[in-house]
Amino acid sequence: MADKDWKECIKSLKGVVLDMCGVLYDSGEGGGIPIPGSVEAVKRIKASDLQLRFCTNETQATREKFVAKLKRMGFDIQVSEVFSPAPAALAVLKERNLRPHLLVHDDLLPEFKDIDNTNPNCVVIGDAADKFSYQNLNDAFRVLIQLERPVLFSLGRGRYYKETDGLKLDVGVYMKALEYACDVEAEVVGKPAPMFFQSVLTDMGIQPQEALMIGDDLINDVGGAQNCGMRGLQVRTGKYRPGDEKHPAVTADGYVDNLAEAVDIILKYRGQ
Amino acid sequence: MAMRQALKAVLIDLSGTLHIEDTVVPGAPEALKRLRETPLAVKFVTNTTKESKQSLLDRLHRLNFSIQEREIFTSLTAARGLVERRSLRPLLLLEDSALEDFAGIETSDPNAVVVGLAPDHFNYQTLNKAFRLILEGAPLIAVHKARYYKRKDGLALGPGPFVTGLEYATDARATVVGKPEKTFFLEALRDLDCTPEEAVMIGDDARDDVGGAQNAGLRGILVQTGKYRAGDENKINPLPFTCILDSSWSSSCDNEMTLFSLHRNFKMLGNGLCRGMHGCVTGPETPPL
């Protein structure tokens, strides 16, 4: 039934938003590998009358480096089409005059190079991967616990993602750890925060019901988009697990085997 | 009242109640001695994640407390008990000093995860390993869920945040075996042949010692030593069973003493607490709060 719904909305679509890791490629050693059919699928959307944006919670590299990596994999993609949490967080920090203690991947640090982080009055965590040591997490904890009102920003709240050598813990796990330790609630920047999706829609100049989100993360991609009034489609690649299709809280508007199949269906229903 | 039950056992917290690091809490040894003169069973219960039973015992002996190994029940003991009852092969996120309490447990090809306080193991690789096991269905056992603890160099993260993170990652629920879990107190009483209603718990942590014990059906007595901070007694509901003993608590008291008479014999002090262990088991010479 849900399947029928999303196909019925295809004709009124004006834009498609793609998650990246797990939809376009699987990450891992050496930068990762494209998921079969995805390079071609992106080309086909771009050749259609649909707008296309990319929306990622990737925080292991600056947007520029990340886009360069995808170009090397063969994807037709520009920095201006990509929405990621770090630039969004930077804007919030500046607006609120906050000095962050950063627990982020070394390769993301250039995004924050212009901000004052002496005597920090908040903590920003991203997917720091191997930098998520006890010592580093403890340092972030100590900054928070000595603040009268601890402020914690989390670049996304994902639970885990898939790399070529297996599933890996994502930033949300460490966000939860700090939330529990300090009795605070983190402010999430990135998916599934509604503001993040809204900024993508604003950029395309379309309404939520005219947009379709395609992702492998049921909660953050599909659920997040649906909360904004968009449709959400889940691909059976990346971190997808069969149990997702029976999730008690989130039901995708449709499921497809991969991005290529999604694009096949979309273009067929639009007669292109 | 429905309280006519004999008092049979006293559970006592260690750190903060009997001693603080390598210092004895004033009056505690004498209080313990007095308790020993009664027919009451005594057990020492503690949330330890780093220290084995033997190292706890060594310290207590150095401080001249006369305590037997079998009288100590820790969250590590409880975790081991659970692992044995369910024939699990755990991945142990524990410091070497705590591993002693798991000697003889099969740990190859793990099908369970036990998390204690293990700063050396709370790195990305090891947590990923634990996460993958749990995602495949391995039970997650938490020695306890403390948020943080005090170290010489300042506050440091306890096991709780990491357990919470793993729960979030996997949608699993950890089985917590330490205080303030109900099962912890029931396990501690198991070989004492008494019901929770026949026991009291004395400790310095309002939530973990007193709240937990009361939730399990025991009486809880909060001492104002150790980590106690003014107002802690108001953090839990119901309030601690607050009291000090008057002189009628003596070696002459016997198993027939009921909780009803406990009320009579304990001097209720408004919202008062015990100044310390000695306040719980000494006579009227204890200065009023």
Side-chain angles (χ1 to χ4, degrees):
Chain A
M1 221 171 70
D3 233 31
K4 205 173 161 194
D5 279 347
W6 90 267
K7 283 171 187 160
E8 278 171 1
C9 83
I10 288 175
K11 281 213 166 81
S12 54
L13 275 187
K14 290 187 178 165
V16 173
V17 184
L18 299 183
D19 171 42
M20 301 175 75
C21 183
V23 174
L24 301 182
Y25 71 101
D26 278 321
S27 66
E29 294 302 314
I33 46 168
I35 291 169
S38 288
V39 170
E40 186 61 26
V42 168
K43 270 190 201 134
R44 291 177 67 199
I45 303 176
K46 284 208 163 176
S48 77
D49 58 350
L50 289 166
Q51 296 201 61
L52 178 64
R53 295 291 184 277
F54 302 92
C55 192
T56 178
N57 272 4
E58 169 63 48
T59 56
Q60 283 204 13
T62 60
R63 217 164 25 152
E64 284 71 18
K65 286 216 163 136
F66 183 50
V67 167
K69 179 176 93 173
L70 281 142
K71 280 184 169 166
R72 283 198 299 278
M73 288 183 203
F75 287 100
D76 176 4
I77 185 170
Q78 308 300 323
V79 171
S80 60
E81 297 164 338
V82 176
F83 288 75
S84 70
L90 193 64
V92 174
L93 293 171
K94 284 183 171 162
E95 189 190 308
R96 287 163 56 180
N97 248 325
L98 290 167
R99 300 179 306 277
H101 170 92
L102 299 168
L103 176 49
V104 300
H105 200 278
D106 283 342
D107 294 342
L108 191 71
L109 288 172
E111 299 262 27
F112 295 95
K113 65 182 188 303
D114 294 330
I115 198 142
D116 176 17
N117 53 14
T118 55
N119 187 23
N121 55 8
C122 72
V123 166
V124 174
I125 59 168
D127 174 17
D130 289 331
K131 259 180 82 183
F132 276 134
S133 63
Y134 181 81
Q135 182 64 49
N136 287 342
L137 202 66
N138 211 36
D139 289 346
F141 160 70
R142 285 181 177 180
V143 169
L144 288 172
I145 202 81
Q146 52 89 28
L147 294 171
E148 201 179 319
R149 282 188 53 246
V151 178
L152 171 64
F153 293 100
S154 186
L155 306 182
R157 50 173 299 155
R159 301 192 297 172
Y160 53 86
Y161 52 86
K162 190 181 175 190
E163 293 210 329
T164 42
D165 60 343
L167 297 176
K168 299 273 174 82
L169 291 171
D170 199 356
V171 63
V173 174
Y174 292 88
M175 172 196 85
K176 281 285 170 190
L178 289 174
E179 283 187 339
Y180 179 78
C182 306
D183 233 346
V184 292
E185 197 175 326
E187 299 180 39
V188 177
V189 183
K191 296 179 284 187
M195 263 187 50
F196 193 61
F197 288 104
Q198 191 52 53
S199 64
V200 183
L201 294 172
T202 304
D203 189 57
M204 291 194 283
I206 64 175
Q207 296 301 308
Q209 61 275 15
E210 298 167 331
L212 175 71
M213 172 81 208
I214 304 177
D216 66 330
D217 188 317
L218 184 68
I219 306 294
N220 293 302
D221 296 330
V222 174
Q226 287 175 337
N227 280 339
C228 266
M230 301 163 67
R231 302 276 177 160
L233 199 60
Q234 192 180 17
V235 287
R236 297 189 182 100
T237 53
K239 75 177 75 168
Y240 165 86
R241 291 158 56 89
D244 289 350
E245 298 191 29
K246 297 183 217 88
H247 195 278
V250 182
T251 308
D253 292 290
Y255 302 90
V256 286
D257 286 342
N258 48 44
L259 180 62
E261 188 192 357
V263 173
D264 276 346
I265 295 170
I266 292 167
L267 296 184
K268 192 180 101 192
Y269 273 74
R270 293 176 73 86
Q272 288 173 1
Chain B
M1 290 176 75
M3 291 185 184
R4 287 195 67 86
Q5 273 155 316
L7 179 69
K8 288 184 179 169
V10 180
L11 303 184
I12 302 171
D13 172 51
L14 290 176
S15 174
T17 304
L18 285 191
H19 68 90
I20 295 163
E21 293 184 1
D22 284 324
T23 311
V24 167
V25 171
E30 297 75 25
L32 184 57
K33 210 167 282 167
R34 289 180 66 101
L35 259 188
R36 297 287 201 192
E37 288 163 7
T38 72
L40 294 169
V42 178
K43 215 168 208 189
F44 303 89
V45 293
T46 180
N47 267 359
T48 175
T49 40
K50 274 176 87 168
E51 293 182 288
S52 67
K53 239 187 209 188
Q54 191 54 50
S55 61
L56 287 173
L57 205 56
D58 289 347
R59 168 162 36 205
L60 290 163
H61 287 166
R62 270 202 313 279
L63 298 175
N64 284 320
F65 283 106
S66 126
I67 287 172
Q68 317 270 317
E69 190 190 333
R70 58 175 169 74
E71 294 175 317
I72 298 181
F73 186 79
T74 79
S75 44
L76 286 173
T77 323
R80 181 183 175 124
L82 185 61
V83 163
E84 283 180 327
R85 281 199 301 281
R86 293 171 60 181
S87 304
L88 297 168
R89 301 182 306 276
L91 170 71
L92 297 169
L93 271 57
L94 296 170
E95 293 289 271
D96 290 349
S97 53
L99 285 176
E100 222 175 271
D101 282 352
F102 283 82
I105 296 280
E106 178 62 51
T107 55
S108 61
D109 185 24
N111 63 0
V113 175
V114 172
V115 182
L117 179 61
D120 293 344
H121 295 297
F122 290 149
N123 56 58
Y124 193 59
Q125 285 77 10
T126 310
L127 285 175
N128 265 326
K129 198 165 147 188
F131 153 66
R132 290 176 192 177
L133 283 170
I134 300 162
L135 203 59
E136 284 161 20
L140 170 62
I141 297 166
V143 173
H144 62 74
K145 274 185 90 171
R147 289 167 165 77
Y148 51 84
Y149 67 108
K150 186 143 189 191
R151 241 169 30 183
K152 284 195 188 95
D153 64 341
L155 295 179
L157 290 167
F162 297 92
V163 172
T164 305
L166 287 171
E167 289 181 324
Y168 175 72
T170 56
D171 263 340
R173 256 305 170 84
T175 303
V176 184
V177 296
K179 294 183 282 187
E181 296 303 309
K182 196 172 169 176
T183 48
F184 177 85
F185 295 98
L186 301 183
E187 277 297 304
L189 293 177
R190 196 204 277 256
D191 60 350
L192 297 182
D193 188 31
C194 82
T195 66
E197 291 74 23
E198 295 167 326
V200 294
M201 166 76 210
I202 303 171
D204 67 329
D205 189 312
R207 193 154 42 175
D208 287 356
D209 292 328
V210 177
Q214 294 189 155
N215 185 41
L218 295 81
R219 290 299 178 127
I221 299 176
L222 185 65
V223 291
Q224 290 182 308
T225 54
K227 71 168 72 162
Y228 171 81
R229 294 287 169 273
D232 277 0
E233 61 272 26
N234 301 318
K235 284 184 180 166
I236 54 167
N237 186 19
L239 295 173
F241 180 68
T242 56
C243 50
I244 58 169
L245 281 174
D246 69 22
S247 57
S248 59
W249 175 284
S250 72
S251 56
S252 69
C253 83
D254 58 32
N255 288 343
E256 298 308 307
M257 195 178 83
T258 62
L259 279 177
F260 178 68
S261 64
L262 194 67
H263 264 295
R264 273 200 332 229
N265 293 342
F266 278 68
K267 210 181 250 171
M268 301 301 293
L269 283 173
N271 202 20
L273 320 157
C274 294
R275 277 243 164 112
M277 250 302 277
H278 71 292
C280 302
V281 280
T282 53
E285 68 272 17
T286 305
L289 293 170

